[in-house]
Structure formats: C-alpha cells, structure tokens
C-alpha cells in the first residue's frame, strides 16, 4: 500500500528516557580507607518535545514511524561523578498542529514558528549517597533509584493556518481561483475530486498579504462519510472568513446556485464550529453566457440573505480584484480584533499551594488502606527495597510527611495492609507504627526494626551461645563471651574471643602447674 505524501492526522507513541540511578560509594585513599560518602547523582532522562518547524507541512514522517523514544540518563559514579543526562528528542511538526490524547482531550495547539510542547517528560535521576548525607546520617549505605520517563499515546492533528477558506462542490473552481489570485499551482482538471489535499496560496491585495486555502470538494452527505471534503474541513477552522465558490455553469440536473449554497451550509453546520465566520459568495464561471445570466438572476436573492456576492471568472480574471480586496478587508479587521501581545515584563512569583500532599482512604471489604499523592508515590519509585537502610529511609520520610499519623487518626491497626499508589508500581506494606502505648521505640541508625524484629542471625547466636556454655558448665547468660569456634562471629569478635581463650588457657596452665608443685612439696 502506497504511503500518501500528505498526512494531517496521525497517532504517535512517545516514551521519555529513564533517570539514572544514584551511586552508593565510599571515598578511599591511602591512610584514609573511610573518607565519607562520595556517590554521585544519576542523570535525568531525555524528554520528547514537539516543536513547530516552518519547513514542515505534513505529518507523513510520523505516519511512517510512529514510535519515538528518548535516551536514558547515565548512572552516577563514585568520586562525586554525576551521570550524564539523556538527550532530548525534538520532533518537528507543521504550524497549526493540535496535540490531544487518545480520548480526545486537547493538550496543546501549536501555532507559530518555534512553539513547542513537552510530549513526554524525562525521569529524574536518583540521588547518590553523598547528597543523602546529613548530620544525623553521616554515611548512608544506599542511594535513590532513577524514575521512569513518561510514556504517552498522542494524536497529532494538522489544521492549516490560513486567513481565508474556500468551500464548495467538486469542480466549482476553487483550485482555479487559488491559482488565479496567487502563485500557487494546484492540480486542475475537468473531473470531480481533482483536489485530494488542502492547497495554500499567498495573496497580495494592496498593502495586505494573506493566505487562502481550499479543501477537497463537498457533496451532500459528506458529514456521513460521503466524498472527501468533510475530513478536511478542520483546515478552515482557523480562517477569518469562508468563501463559497459556486459553479454557475454546471450541467448536473437538480443543481442551481441557491441549492448548492444551502447544501454546503448544511454540511458546514454538521461539522460545527464555523457558524461565526463571515461568508462571501463567489459566483464562478461567468465567462460562460448561460452562467452569467444565472449569476445575475440569483445575485439579488443572495444579497437579501445578507451575503456579499462577487460574480467572477477564473478564466478571464473578471471580478477577481474586487474579491481579493473584500477578502483583505475581512483579514485586516480580524487582525485588528486580535489581542496584541503585552510587551511589559511579567514577574511570576509562585504561591504556596495549600491542601494536603497526600490522601488516605479505606479500601472496601476491609482490604486495607490506600495512600495517594505525588510525593509518596515518587518516593516509593525511588526506593531500593533490597536495601534495608533504604527502606528505613522511606519509612522515615513517610513518617515526617504525616502518613503514619493520618493512618492512626483514621483507625488503622498494626498489621493492616497499606498500599501506596494505585498504578502498576503500587507497593503494599504491613502497617507497623513507631508509637505504641505512648512510648517511642528507638532503633540503631541505618536499621528498620520493623523489618528485622527477630533477625535469624541473632537467634542462631543465642542458641549457639547457650549450647556452648552448657557444655562448659558455665552460666547461660546471653551476654557471655563466645568461643573462637563460633561460626557466626564477625572477624573482630572472633579475634577478641581467640585472645580471651588464649589468656584463659595460660591461666589454667599456671593453676595446674602451681597445683602440681604444691603436691610435690607435701610429699
């Protein structure tokens, strides 16, 4: 199937780059093995940007390739090296492109060279442990993860930016009129539907320069899918005025200038949004004798309807100058009515936004609690749950934000399921409040006691310690020293245990030697 050269409506899938992860690193050098955290931040992901380019007149490039992706940000490194940002992808679009979602919600209307819209925002890079260090957390052993970039499905719709729009039946002479009053050279032939795409022409009338666009011919029932023109009426929505080009020399039975005008007006009304546009009527082909007579017969009736009528001939150029200057008058009035941009300097002072930063609601059927909000959901995406210290940091952030207090206020109990976010990245926790019976439970820095209330390693140490001292016939106090054969001891603890065992062995040897000497003296 051949790809058309003019495309005015496409669906594009855009994906921004992911932010790079932060780095958890410790500075090391000679005689200074623990020089503090030096992990750098991850780079931001690239964004996808739509920008108006005057040299682009069609959306055919996105018809051929509808998936566009930006690059990811690089991961942070040690020695305070931040990751590089991902490169933005700039997509050129024609002037007059309307951007909307798949549901029809308009996001942007790009008019004017250089106008741009961020179609997909790149993900933020994660902070390294150097940026997370504070007076209370001098050596973080974790870093934040980078955020995912936005992914969107957008509909791009081109609405040609023109001052005057020409409408009418097929073969009424719209393309011939554009060719006669401008330097545009559209395809002209003696059969219907010669025009398959909108044509633009630049017209000069005195000191006024404006653009004229014609669309494929309309026929009765176009709003129901007949013909081609109704799909292209979007290209005259921006026009200051519409010109009805009526063929006075048609030989088709049942057609006359008045019925043609009524039919086209019915189709414009079915399309909608064009009721407030001024109308001009161009009675074309008066170079044909019978057509001139018909134009003279209907001109008075059309003027009674409040329409300005211009008998013209694109072949002999009769009446074209009057029509051009009538178009120019409307364009001048329209431009004068438009608000002029204010050149005064605008100072923007952001105001503090009120209201809570999150909300908590109870799930039906006692399924738990749902926490929603930009901050909690973003913090969850940044957390590495394989790192207990990072999980504890998340719990501290949520507690400072007031999530825990709000849950307790609404009646949440320990052990209830708490879900943060309702999307694909939602995380479910078991609620374990820090405050129980009015007393605060403290834990060592860098640990979350709610995750490790009874660590298996500590339990094994207690069991082996009890077994060891039972075999030695000593007291089974938990804080009794371990032997050198303890497999779960750290290297430092094992070394201290070995030294104490050696001292005990020497003491026992001296006591045994003294006992033997005492026995020899008795004899």
């Amino acid at each position: 199937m051949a790809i058309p050269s003019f495309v005015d409506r496409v669906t594009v899938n855009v994906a921004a780059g992911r932010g790079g992860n932060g780095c958890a690193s410790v500075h090391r050098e000679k005689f200074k093995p623990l020089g503090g955290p030096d992990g750098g931040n991850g780079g931001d992901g690239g964004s996808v940007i739509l920008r108006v380019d005057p040299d682009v007149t069609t959306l055919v490039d996105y018809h051929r390739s509808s998936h566009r992706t930006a690059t990811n940000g690089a991961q942070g490194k040690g020695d305070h090296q931040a990751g590089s940002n991902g490169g933005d992808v700039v997509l050129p679009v024609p002037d007059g492109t309307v951007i909307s979602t798949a549901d029809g919600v308009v996001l942007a209307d790009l008019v004017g060279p250089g106008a741009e819209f961020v179609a997909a925002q790149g993900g933020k890079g994660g902070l390294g442990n150097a940026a997370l260090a504070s007076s209370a957390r001098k050596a973080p052993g974790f870093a934040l993860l980078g955020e995912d970039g936005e992914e969107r499905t957008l509909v791009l719709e081109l609405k040609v930016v023109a001052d005057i729009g020409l409408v009418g039946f097929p073969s009424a002479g719209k393309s011939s009129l554009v060719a006669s009053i401008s330097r545009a050279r559209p395809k002209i032939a003696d059969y219907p539907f010669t025009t398959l795409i909108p044509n633009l022409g630049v017209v000069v009338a005195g000191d006024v320069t404006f653009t004229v666009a014609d669309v494929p011919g309309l026929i009765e029932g176009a709003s129901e899918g007949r013909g081609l023109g109704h799909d292209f009426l979007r290209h005259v929505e921006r026009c200051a005025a519409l010109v009805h080009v009526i063929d006075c020399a048609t030989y088709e039975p049942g057609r006359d200038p008045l019925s043609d005008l009524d039919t086209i007006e019915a189709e414009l009304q079915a399309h909608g949004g064009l009721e407030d546009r001024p109308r001009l009527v161009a009675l074309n082909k008066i170079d044909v004798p019978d057509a001139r007579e018909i134009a003279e017969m209907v001109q008075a009736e059309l003027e009674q309807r409040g329409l300005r009528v211009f008998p013209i001939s694109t072949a002999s150029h009769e009446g074209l100058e009057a029509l051009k200057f009538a178009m120019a008058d409307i364009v001048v009035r329209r431009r004068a009515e438009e608000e002029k941009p204010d050149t005064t300097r605008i100072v923007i002072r952001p105001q503090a936004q009120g209201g809570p930063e999150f909300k908590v609601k109870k799930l039906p059927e006692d399924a738990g609690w749902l926490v929603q909000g930009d901050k909690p959901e973003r913090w969850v995406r940044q957390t590495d749950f394989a790192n207990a210290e990072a999980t504890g940091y998340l719990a501290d952030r949520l507690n400072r934000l007031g999530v825990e207090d709000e849950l307790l206020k609404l009646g949440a109990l320990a052990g209830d399921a708490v879900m943060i976010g309702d999307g694909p990245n939602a995380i479910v926790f078991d609620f374990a409040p820090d405050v129980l019976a009015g007393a605060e439970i403290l834990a060592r820095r860098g640990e979350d006691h709610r995750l490790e209330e009874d660590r298996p390693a500590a339990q094994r140490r207690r069991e082996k310690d009890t077994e060891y001292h039972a075999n030695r016939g000593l007291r089974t106090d938990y804080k009794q020293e371990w032997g050198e054969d303890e497999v779960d001891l750290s290297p430092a603890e094992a070394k201290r245990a070995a030294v104490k065992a050696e001292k005990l062995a020497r003491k026992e040897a001296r006591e045994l030697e003294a006992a033997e000497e005492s026995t020899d003296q008795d004899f």
Side-chain angles (χ1 to χ4, degrees), residues 412-457:
L413 301 176
D416 287 354
V418 178
M419 182 170 65
I420 300 180
D422 55 356
N425 297 322
I427 299 295
V428 180
F429 299 93
D430 289 335
F431 184 48
D434 275 340
V435 180
L436 297 176
E440 185 177 0
I441 299 176
L442 300 178
R444 293 185 296 175
R445 180 180 62 83
E447 294 184 357
D448 188 354
H449 60 280
R450 290 168 290 184
L451 296 177
E452 300 180 357
E453 292 180 352
D454 189 10
R455 293 176 296 168

Side-chain angles (χ1 to χ4, degrees), residues 136-286:
R137 184 182 289 103
K138 297 183 181 298
F142 67 97
L144 299 184
L145 303 179
E147 299 182 45
D148 292 331
E150 286 185 311
E151 293 187 14
R152 278 179 169 181
T153 299
L154 302 176
V155 177
L156 307 185
E157 187 177 18
L158 174 60
K159 295 182 179 180
V160 171
V161 179
D163 296 306
I164 302 294
L166 306 181
V167 294
F169 268 79
S171 299
K174 300 184 298 296
S175 299
S176 300
L177 179 57
V178 172
S180 300
I181 62 178
S182 70
R183 293 188 177 182
R185 293 295 177 263
K187 181 180 180 181
I188 300 173
D190 58 351
Y191 54 84
F193 296 111
T194 306
T195 301
L196 300 178
I197 62 174
N199 296 310
L200 282 177
V202 179
V203 182
V204 178
D207 297 333
V208 182
T209 302
F210 57 95
T211 56
V212 176
D214 81 294
V215 297
L218 294 172
I219 59 175
E220 185 176 3
S223 59
E224 300 174 357
R226 296 185 61 192
L228 300 173
H230 201 271
D231 290 335
F232 292 97
L233 279 180
R234 69 173 70 97
H235 297 294
V236 297
E237 290 180 0
R238 303 181 190 274
C239 296
L242 299 179
V243 176
H244 284 279
V245 181
I246 298 177
D247 183 4
C248 294
T250 180
Y251 294 101
E252 294 185 20
R255 282 185 54 186
D256 60 81
L258 296 178
S259 62
D260 286 359
L261 178 64
D262 294 338
T263 301
I264 300 302
E265 281 293 341
E267 296 303 327
L268 295 178
Q269 185 177 2
H271 178 78
L274 300 172
E275 293 80 7
D276 59 336
R277 303 297 193 278
R279 263 67 163 175
L280 301 177
V281 178
L283 301 177
N284 194 19
K285 302 183 181 179
I286 62 172

Side-chain angles (χ1 to χ4, degrees), residues 398-413:
L398 294 175
N399 192 15
R400 288 195 300 269
L401 189 62
V403 174
E404 185 172 303
D405 294 338
E406 184 68 17
L407 286 169
L408 292 172
K409 179 181 176 181
L410 295 177
L413 301 176

